[in-house]
Amino acid sequence: MADAIERLERAMAQAQGHLVQVGGHVREVSASACRIGGVGPFVRLGDRMGFERDGDGGDQIGEIVRIDAEGATLKTFGPRIEAGIGTRVFRLGAAELRPDPAWKGRVIDALGRPIDGAGPLGAGATAAPLDADPPAAFGRARVRRPLVTGVRALDLFTPLCAGQRIGIFAGSGVGKSTLLAMLADAEGFDSVVVALVGERGREVREFLEGPIAKARARSVIVVSTGDESPMMRRQAPKVALSVAESFRDRGESVLLIIDSVTRYAHAARDVALAAGEPAVARGYPPSVFSDLPRLLERAGPGLDGQGSITGVFSVLVDGDDHNDPVADAIRGTLDGHVVLDRAIAEQGRYPAMDLLGSISRLASEVWTPEQRDLVRKLKAMMARYEETRDLRLMGGYRAGTDAELDQAIGLVPKIYEAMRQEPGQAPSRDAFLELAQSLRG
Ligand SMILES: Nc1ncnc2c1ncn2[C@@H]1O[C@H](COP(=O)(O)OP(=O)(O)O)[C@@H](O)[C@H]1O
Ligand SMILES: [Mg+2]
């Protein structure tokens, strides 16, 4: 008897969930969004809505991006809005993602659906919110466990710690994605979560089959290509963070890669403009600049005793535009930046890292005092070498006049040579030792 009542109660509770369904109808459709009316006071920003015909999902679902006196603005995840005047919309439950360690090795889209043709994804035990708050600043563990990335130029000049967040700044085609993928081979990570945002389909293929291939078994890859809707591109990094957070909460050391954060910012801009926000900084509405740090802050160390998320974010800097507001906003929230230089790439020196212009704010936690001294000397030498480059090319310098410069001319090309590294090559184990060996050799 008690059992029957319990079942009845459960059935009623379920039925109520369906009976009391908040809905409205479409009043206006444009290429970028649709307006809905009749939703009353019940919808909130970020609520997910489904269309009558297709209410159970697909990508014909959308999110409320604006609410005003007349109604609400809904933006869909699909590339088109297949609705007409009067089409009914219903509020769906909150977006839910249930990441599971079994997802490692898989490729998913921004709605958490598998897209690698390898069958359905199992659901994990706990739901991970897409918009989680970053861990409380004071409860967070300190970032100080050194990492060996296996990329010599990084391990020498901008060494990283687990839980650190760095940006890779460069124009297109200078080697950002390749460097990110090389990092995925680093030892010491239990898992790798990658968000590929706004890339072309061909680039995604190349990335999956190329440099990242070795790390695939421990990687979850979230893909949203450039031809998908801004809603999808805006969501892909959030899904990646939710997956990374769920692994972190299991105590894992996670490497999170977002390629690129600039494309995420573009998508966030498109959504905010469709929601009627004004553009303030070079076409960007203000919410983009509050969304960015919120997203990036979710990476980093977990609470004491949890794992950590080491975040590596690529940032596109177009041409010589170093005042790009997005690049500026991102640089401010990170613990270091690596600059890749087109002029160096053109000389065929990969990774095309600007060794003088790149910094890691946690380098001092990693270097021994002797290593720090050595790096300082090497940098001084490289600076000397670079600033006299034109003079020397024009024949304005004679060897023997300046002993320090002579030493730089002898050593710096060897240092540059020692920093060369291709994705297929074995990762380095002790960058200082290897540099010493190649300088002697
Ligand atoms: N470490 C490297 N070694 C050799 N070639 C590289 C390296 N990194 C990049 N490249 C070359 O540069 C090209 C562009 O790199 P990619 O990582 O796709 O750039 P981005 O992501 O910045 O657009 C690659 O196709 C490759 O030819
Ligand atoms: Mg790329």
Side-chain angles (χ1 to χ4, degrees), residues 298-323:
R298 288 171 66 185
L303 299 174
D304 266 323
Q306 285 180 336
S308 64
I309 303 175
T310 306
V312 187
F313 309 106
S314 77
V315 183
L316 200 62
V317 280
D318 275 322
D320 293 316
D321 191 4
H322 290 283
N323 298 319

Side-chain angles (χ1 to χ4, degrees), residues 176-177 199 203 259:
K176 292 184 299 301
S177 304
E199 301 269 276
E203 286 174 306
D259 189 14

Side-chain angles (χ1 to χ4, degrees), residues 294-347:
R294 224 187 108 72
L295 183 80
L296 304 183
E297 274 292 325
R298 288 171 66 185
L303 299 174
D304 266 323
Q306 285 180 336
S308 64
I309 303 175
T310 306
V312 187
F313 309 106
S314 77
V315 183
L316 200 62
V317 280
D318 275 322
D320 293 316
D321 191 4
H322 290 283
N323 298 319
D324 178 50
V326 170
D328 269 354
I330 296 170
R331 203 178 283 118
T333 27
L334 301 175
D335 323 302
H337 56 263
V338 170
V339 181
L340 304 184
D341 187 334
R342 190 178 302 279
I344 297 175
E346 279 164 358
Q347 296 166 24

Side-chain angles (χ1 to χ4, degrees), residues 349-360:
R349 252 169 62 205
Y350 286 105
M353 193 171 145
D354 173 0
L355 302 173
L356 292 170
S358 304
I359 59 156
S360 162

Side-chain angles (χ1 to χ4, degrees), residues 368-425:
T368 63
E370 297 77 39
Q371 289 176 336
R372 192 180 52 222
D373 272 357
L374 176 67
V375 169
R376 208 182 45 223
K377 282 186 195 135
L378 294 178
K379 280 190 165 177
M381 227 188 270
M382 288 189 282
R384 203 66 215 289
Y385 182 82
E386 291 300 337
E387 76 206 13
T388 55
R389 188 183 276 273
D390 290 344
L391 180 76
R392 287 182 289 109
L393 280 177
M394 291 186 302
Y397 177 72
R398 245 179 333 110
T401 344
D402 179 337
E404 265 179 38
L405 184 53
D406 286 339
Q407 193 192 22
I409 294 170
L411 278 179
V412 172
K414 287 188 187 158
I415 302 173
Y416 287 168
E417 197 53 40
M419 292 306 106
R420 272 180 203 265
Q421 207 170 339
E422 286 180 16
Q425 291 171 349

